[in-house]
């Protein structure tokens, strides 16, 4: 039941205007949809500030009233990081959507948190520059959310996670003060690297309101290839050659299992097999890019593939001959997320392991899952070049969806145990949110949790910032 604390709603309206404090269910509904439907979300109200000054005043008021806040961007997260409850105020950054500046000489752009990622990608291109952060939700996710979860995506291999793309931040702290850390210097070695405390903190230490992002030369040339592979070890052998033989021009190296591609062919009309009539067990999507006009990427790719074929590492390959074919290859990769929605309920994992242990990880998790839930279908795919596998399980045909979902934590515990035993992580790129706070207790050392608790209590002693997310409840109360 919504907590109708109308006094604070009136005070919020005095800051940002009545029309930007949403209380009616029909208006707040859009902010309460959790992407995977795993969490219910409610709110006392949604407030839509227009500037960092308004965010600061809102936080100062909420601190004074001991009013919990859930900072929110595009709400595309998959771990419940922006889920709210009836006692909390959602502060959504969508109106902070200005591109404050682009520096073509310094290869940087200063942007506000509410900017949609795809809009920033196009703004960089309009300046003949490149913002490499790219992920499935880019059409609706906001850069503030990408920063808060340290999002990964498909170009981490060459450009790093979101964290690696940031030079400076502007943050409204839990006391309402604004930290202007909008540094655009590549070298600024002055004390603790504060920005990295807030990147990936999922709004639990403050509200990121703006950032200075690194930009790169625009890859006017890209060479995309769909490769058929016999096994995961062969994919890893291929990867180990990629960086050297393509001079680190590779930006993506994505693995897809037979189960994944067949599901995409079945459910996504625009997806067709690049190897019709031949049933290959694994596919790898490799993309190179460069900013020169000499076609270097295509030449490097052709030579690389010839050698790999001669050495028996790959079974087959289709090299995109034009932009359209390249886009068709990416359409197949991105379709793997969608097609799972047609396969019943899906238990999702986002883990990373050292590259040398990936083959063992995939073998062990597939056999574990199939012995735990006979008839389950394992979708093993993702950013293998980063050691990051999305190991998702689709409901067996003969099993009730709710009974299957009831196995979520039993199955993900097993997957996380296997990842941990192989030196891996239970969260590679999607973050913690609400979904994985239990894993923080299981896998983070007491020392790490104590450091995080000290930082949290130093910055947010009243725990008003996104309470219950990232750190296990009880740690901050
Ligand atoms: C991917 C997408 C996660 C999701 O496909 O690389 O990170 O469900 C995942 O949008
Ligand atoms: Zn991913």
């Amino acid at each position: 039941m919504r907590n109708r604390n109308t006094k604070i709603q009136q005070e919020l309206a005095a800051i940002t205007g009545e029309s930007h404090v949403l209380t009616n269910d029909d208006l707040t509904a859009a902010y309460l949809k959790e992407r995977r439907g795993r969490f219910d979300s409610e709110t006392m109200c949604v407030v839509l500030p227009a500037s960092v000054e308004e965010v600061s005043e809102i936080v100062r008021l909420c601190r004074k009233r001991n009013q919990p806040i859930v900072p929110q961007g595009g709400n595309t997260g998959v771990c419940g990081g922006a889920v709210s409850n009836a006692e909390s105020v959602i502060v959504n950054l969508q109106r902070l959507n200005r591109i404050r500046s682009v520096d073509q000489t310094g290869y940087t752009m200063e942007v506000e948190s509410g900017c949609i990622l795809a809009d920033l990608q196009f703004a960089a291109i309009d300046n003949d520059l490149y913002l490499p952060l790219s992920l499935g939700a880019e059409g609706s996710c906001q850069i503030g959310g990408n920063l808060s979860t340290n999002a990964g995506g498909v170009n981490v291999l060459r450009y790093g996670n979101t964290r690696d793309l940031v030079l400076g931040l502007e943050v409204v702290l839990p006391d309402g003060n604004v930290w202007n850390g909008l540094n655009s210097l590549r070298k600024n070695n002055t004390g603790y690297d504060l920005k990295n405390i807030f990147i990936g903190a999922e709004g639990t230490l403050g509200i990121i309101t703006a950032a200075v992002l690194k930009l790169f030369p625009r890859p006017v040339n890209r060479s995309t290839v769909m490769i058929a592979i016999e096994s995961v070890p062969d994919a890893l052998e291929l990867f180990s050659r990629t960086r050297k033989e393509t001079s680190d021009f590779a930006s993506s190296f994505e693995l897809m299992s037979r189960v994944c591609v067949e599901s995409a062919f079945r459910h996504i009309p625009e997806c067709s097999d690049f190897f019709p009539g031949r049933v290959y067990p694994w596919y790898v999507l490799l993309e190179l890019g460069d900013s020169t006009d000499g076609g270097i990427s295509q030449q490097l790719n052709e030579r690389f593939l010839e050698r790999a074929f001669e050495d028996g590492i790959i079974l087959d390959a289709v090299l995109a001959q034009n932009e359209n074919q390249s886009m068709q290859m990416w359409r197949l990769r991105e379709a793997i997320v969608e097609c799972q929605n047609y396969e019943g309920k899906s238990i999702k994992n986002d883990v990373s392991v050292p590259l040398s242990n990936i083959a063992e990880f995939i073998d062990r998790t597939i056999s574990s899952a199939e012995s735990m839930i006979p008839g389950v279908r394992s979708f093993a795919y993702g950013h293998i070049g980063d050691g990051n596998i999305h190991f998702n399980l689709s409901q067996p045909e003969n099993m009730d969806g709710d009974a299957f979902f009831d196995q979520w934590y039993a199955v993900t515990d097993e997957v996380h145990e296997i990842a941990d035993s192989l030196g891996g992580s239970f969260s590679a790129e999607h973050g913690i949110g609400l979904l994985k706070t239990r894993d923080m207790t299981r896998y983070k050392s007491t020392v790490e949790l104590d450091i995080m608790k000290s930082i949290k209590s130093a910055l947010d002693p009243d725990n008003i910032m996104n309470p219950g997310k990232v750190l296990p409840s009880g740690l901050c109360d």
Side-chain angles (χ1 to χ4, degrees):
M1 183 58 194
R2 181 197 309 285
N3 170 347
R4 295 188 183 285
N5 179 341
T6 48
K7 175 156 175 37
I8 196 165
Q9 289 165 6
Q10 287 159 9
E11 292 174 310
L12 290 168
I15 296 170
T16 191
E18 200 167 324
S19 62
H20 301 305
V21 179
L22 313 180
T23 53
N24 295 346
D25 291 352
D26 56 341
L27 295 176
T28 58
Y31 302 87
L32 302 179
K33 281 193 185 58
E34 192 272 320
R35 183 172 163 97
R36 285 179 171 168
R38 269 198 67 70
F39 299 101
D40 295 328
S41 193
E42 298 178 83
T43 186
M44 179 205 294
C45 66
V46 176
V47 59
L48 305 170
S51 66
V52 58
E53 293 76 19
E54 287 188 8
V55 174
S56 169
E57 283 184 65
I58 288 165
V59 172
R60 216 177 287 281
L61 168 68
C62 290
R63 177 74 185 277
K64 194 166 71 181
R65 296 274 181 269
N66 203 20
Q67 168 59 52
I69 291 173
V70 174
Q72 194 182 75
N75 198 20
T76 61
V78 292
C79 292
V83 163
S84 173
N85 58 32
E87 286 68 44
S88 297
V89 168
I90 291 177
V91 177
N92 187 288
L93 282 296
Q94 66 189 50
R95 293 178 67 209
L96 269 77
N97 60 359
R98 286 170 287 275
I99 296 174
R100 293 182 181 169
S101 64
V102 179
D103 177 350
Q104 289 179 307
T105 307
Y107 279 71
T108 63
M109 69 189 328
E110 184 177 320
V111 302
E112 293 185 340
S113 287
C115 292
I116 302 290
L117 176 55
D119 294 344
L120 296 180
Q121 293 168 345
F122 288 123
I125 289 169
D126 290 347
N127 287 275
D128 197 26
L129 296 170
Y130 180 57
L131 175 64
L133 182 59
S134 176
L135 45 108
E138 61 197 17
S140 55
C141 65
Q142 296 172 15
I143 191 68
N146 301 142
L147 291 158
S148 291
T149 55
N150 183 31
V154 294
N155 290 327
V156 169
L157 175 63
R158 183 169 181 184
Y159 298 99
N161 289 295
T162 302
R163 182 182 306 283
D164 305 298
L165 304 176
V166 181
L167 288 171
L169 282 187
E170 177 187 76
V171 180
V172 175
L173 302 172
D175 61 6
N177 285 330
V178 179
W179 169 51
N180 179 345
L182 291 167
N183 163 73
S184 62
L185 302 169
R186 303 276 163 158
K187 288 188 169 179
N188 177 8
N189 206 4
T190 49
Y192 301 140
D193 187 354
L194 297 180
K195 68 180 181 300
N196 274 313
I197 296 175
F198 298 100
I199 298 170
E202 299 187 49
T204 59
L205 300 179
I207 301 180
I208 296 173
T209 47
V212 177
L213 302 177
K214 291 177 192 169
L215 298 175
F216 296 82
R218 190 160 70 87
V220 291
N221 253 319
R222 70 175 182 163
S223 175
T224 317
V225 57
M226 190 64 76
I227 303 168
I229 289 256
E230 180 61 38
S231 69
V232 175
D234 284 353
L236 291 163
E237 166 62 25
L238 186 71
F239 178 71
S240 67
R241 292 170 164 228
T242 303
R243 296 193 59 178
K244 186 160 62 71
E245 295 186 18
T246 65
S247 188
D248 247 351
F249 277 27
S251 48
S252 304
F253 192 94
E254 298 285 312
L255 179 73
M256 297 170 265
S257 72
R258 185 82 218 154
V259 169
C260 296
V261 297
E262 285 189 346
S263 177
F265 301 150
R266 200 167 38 248
H267 297 296
I268 313 295
E270 61 269 36
C271 286
S272 57
D273 199 346
F274 289 91
F275 309 103
R278 281 151 293 168
V279 181
Y280 294 126
W282 296 92
Y283 287 13
V284 163
L285 175 62
L286 165 65
E287 181 157 286
L288 278 59
D290 70 272
S291 57
T292 65
D293 56 4
I296 301 171
S297 290
Q298 198 78 348
Q299 294 158 28
L300 280 172
N301 225 348
E302 282 163 359
R303 200 161 60 234
F304 167 69
L305 293 166
E306 271 160 30
R307 282 196 200 129
F309 202 74
E310 281 158 15
D311 296 349
I313 296 172
I314 65 176
L315 301 172
D316 208 336
V318 173
L319 191 58
Q321 297 308 306
N322 52 51
E323 184 61 20
N324 183 45
Q325 225 183 10
S326 177
M327 286 169 68
Q328 283 174 351
M329 291 178 181
W330 277 106
R331 184 68 191 94
L332 176 57
R333 163 45 180 99
E334 294 308 339
I336 292 169
V337 185
E338 293 165 61
C339 66
Q340 292 169 59
N341 300 330
Y342 298 94
E343 299 279 359
K345 288 188 184 284
S346 171
I347 294 176
K348 312 274 190 183
N349 293 282
D350 162 46
V351 292
S352 56
V353 292
L355 281 166
S356 50
N357 294 338
I358 282 196
E360 183 182 345
F361 169 76
I362 290 177
D363 283 348
R364 285 173 56 186
T365 41
I366 288 178
S367 53
S368 262
E370 287 170 359
S371 62
M372 287 177 80
I373 308 179
V376 76
R377 281 146 310 134
S378 303
F379 284 67
Y381 73 101
H383 328 286
I384 188 172
D386 315 331
N388 178 189
I389 294 295
H390 295 305
F391 183 73
N392 297 344
L393 300 164
S394 280
Q395 170 188 345
E397 258 106 40
N398 59 353
M399 187 174 193
D400 168 68
D402 290 341
F404 174 67
F405 244 25
D406 287 346
Q407 305 252 13
W408 182 291
Y409 285 120
V411 170
T412 53
D413 285 355
E414 175 66 14
V415 172
H416 294 166
E417 275 301 312
I418 294 170
D420 185 58
S421 72
L422 294 169
S425 168
F426 59 90
S427 180
E429 61 175 3
H430 295 162
I432 306 299
L434 279 175
L435 183 68
K436 297 189 176 180
T437 50
R438 60 202 295 278
D439 298 284
M440 292 289 279
T441 313
R442 290 162 68 109
Y443 298 106
K444 304 305 279 185
S445 68
T446 312
V447 170
E448 285 177 300
L449 290 173
D450 285 348
I451 295 170
M452 292 187 201
K453 181 183 164 188
S454 309
I455 294 170
K456 172 72 175 178
S457 48
L459 287 172
D460 183 21
D462 300 329
N463 192 19
I464 63 163
M465 278 291 167
N466 221 1
K469 313 295 176 43
V470 181
L471 291 179
S473 51
L475 205 63
C476 312
D477 303 340

